[in-house]
Amino acid sequence: MDPSLRISLLGELAVTRNGTPVALPASRKARAVLGYLVATARPVRRERLCELFWDLPDDPRGSLRWALSKLRPAVDGTEEAHIVADRERVAFSGGATEVDLLAIRARLLDEPPFLPPEDLREMAAQLEQPLLDGLAQAGAEDFQLWLASEREDALLLRRNVLRRLALHPEIGRAEAVKWARRWKEQTPLEEDAARSLVQALAQTGREDEARQHESDFFAAAKAAGLSVSGPLMPEASVASGETAHHSRPVEARPRRLLRKQQIGFCRSSDGVRIAHASIGDGPPLVKAANWLNHLELDCNSPIWGPTFDAWAMDRRFIRYDERGNGLSDWDVKDITFEAFVRDLETVVDALGLERFPLLGISQGCAVSVAYAARHPERVSGLILVAGYATGWRIGASAEEQARREAVLTLTRHGWGTSNPAYRHIFSQTFMPDARPEDLEWFDEFQRLTVSPENAVRFQVAFGTIDVREDLPKIQVPTIVFHARDDERIALDQGRALAAGIPGAEFVVLDSKNHILLGHEPAWHACMNKAKAFLAHHNL
C-alpha cells in the first residue's frame, strides 16, 4: 500500500509523493500512457497500448517498453511497484494511491444525502479542469476517442456536483444562485436546472430576473420540442413572502430516482468487469443489455429516460452494460452471444437475486430467452420488446446479408470519426420517427458508448444469434411486443418469437420505431400493457 502517492488526472497530469511534486517524463506519450492506465484501472494488452499510442510501422513494443522504463521511477514506491507488467498486459496497481477523478467518482456514487459543501466546492473546482489537459494529441485516433469519452463522463460528474451545490440545504441563498446558474449553463434544456435557478433567484428577491429566466426557458424548450411539467416558479412561492425564502428548489421525482441509481461492478467467469445499476424501490425487474448501453449517459437521455423513469417508479429496476461498451470493460477477447448470456448470469448472481421477471429489448430478448431456458427456477416472467430468435446471418436473403455487410464496412472505417453520418445509419433505422434532436443525441451517444472495433464485433455477434431451440423450453408468463412497421427488425420476426414460446401473448404496436420513444402513443400502450401483465401474474 502506498498512501503517500497522489495522482491528479484533472488538469495537467501530476504526481506527488508526501506532498512533493514528482518529475514526470518529458515525453507526452509516456505521460499519456500513465494517465490511461491510471484512469482505466485495469490490465491492458500491450498490443492495445501500442495501437493507442504508437501507430507506426517501426518498433511499437520497444517504444512502450521505453515509456514504462521512464514511468517506473516516477511512480513506483520503495516497497511497491505500481507499474505492473508481464509479457501480455500492463496495469497500474494503485493500492491506496489517491487519484482525484476516481476519488470524486467514488464519493458521488456512494450517494450520501448531502456531502459537506466544502467538499463539493473543491470537487467543482477540480472538475473545471480538462481531464489530462494537453495530452489529447499524444496518441492515435482511438486514444483521442477514449479521452473524449472520458471527458464527457467528467462533465457529467461536474453537473452532478453543481446540482448538489445548487440544492444543498446548507448553502446560502446568494451562493445557491451561483451554483444553480452554472448548473443551468451546463444543461440549458434540463427542467430541474432551470427550476433551481428560477427558484434561487426568487428566494433572493430577484423576482423579475427569475420570471425572465422562466420565460426564456419555456421558449427554448418549446423550440426544441420538449414538454415542461409545470411552472418553474409557482405563484405561491413569490406571493407567500418570507415563507418562500426558506424553501429549497425541488427536483421532479423521476429525476431524483435516476440520480439515486446505485452503480456497482462484478466480474464474469472470464475476468471481464461488468457494470450494473439499480434504480428505485420495490420488486426487482432486470433488463437484459441491448445495443448500446452506458449506465451514466443513458439514464437521463431523451431516448431511454422516460422508460427508465416509468419502471423505477414502482420497481427496483436493474440494468447493466454488457461487455465491450459503456462502463464495462471494452478491451475483451470474447464478444459473442454466449458471453452476453454469461454477463446477465454474472450480474443477477452478484446481486443475489433469487427470482425475477426479465425485460428484453432487441437482441436482449434472445439473451433473456436463453437465460430463462437455462435457469427456469430464477425467471418468473418475460417482457420482450422488438426482439428476434435468429440473427441476420440466419435465413436472411442475399440482398439483406449484402446490406448488412456494407454497414459493417462503413462501421469499420467511420464509426469513431467526428462525422455522425456513419452512426446515423443506425439511428434512422432504430427510430425513423424520432425528433432531429433525439437522433443527434443518439448519434453522439453511440460514439461515446463503444469503440469502432467493438461496434463491428457486436454486429457480427448479433448476426449469429439463434435461440429457436430454447423457445419451447420457456414455461413462464411471456408477453411479446413489436412495432408494426419496425424498420430494424421485421414484424414477422417478432411474431415468430412469440409463436415459439408456449402461451406467449403477442401485442402489435402502431409505430415505426425499433426503440419506442416516450412521446409516442405506442410507448404508452406498451408500458401500460406491460405493467398490467406484471400485476396480473403477480410478478
Side-chain angles (χ1 to χ4, degrees), residues 10 101 105 127 129-131 144-160 186-187 294 296-298 327 330 441 444-449:
L10 296 166
L101 178 64
R105 182 176 289 145
L127 289 166
Q129 306 174 83
L131 179 66
Q144 295 170 25
L145 293 171
W146 170 83
L147 183 55
S149 176
E150 291 296 307
R151 286 178 174 176
E152 183 68 24
D153 285 349
L155 179 60
L156 292 174
L157 291 178
R158 182 168 184 252
R159 292 172 183 172
N160 188 327
Q186 291 291 313
T187 56
H294 191 298
E296 290 183 332
L297 296 182
D298 61 14
L327 296 181
W330 286 25
W441 181 90
E444 182 64 6
F445 169 75
Q446 291 181 104
R447 185 184 71 81
L448 295 173
T449 301

Side-chain angles (χ1 to χ4, degrees), residues 7 9 32-45 48-49 52-53 90-94 99 101-102 105 131-132 142-143 146-147 149-150 153 265 267 273 326-331:
I7 299 179
L9 300 177
V33 168
L34 176 61
Y36 180 81
L37 291 173
V38 172
T40 53
R42 64 175 184 268
V44 183
R45 288 184 298 108
R48 181 57 177 161
L49 288 171
L52 288 168
F53 297 103
V90 181
F92 179 84
S93 177
V99 180
L101 178 64
L102 304 186
R105 182 176 289 145
L131 179 66
L132 298 179
D142 278 1
F143 171 72
W146 170 83
L147 183 55
S149 176
E150 291 296 307
D153 285 349
F265 296 90
R267 288 199 181 273
R273 185 179 67 168
L327 296 181
S328 295
D329 282 350
W330 286 25
D331 187 15

Side-chain angles (χ1 to χ4, degrees), residues 161-174:
V161 170
L162 295 176
R163 173 185 62 84
R164 290 172 182 244
L165 284 165
L167 301 174
H168 205 292
E170 299 174 19
I171 293 289
R173 299 169 193 160

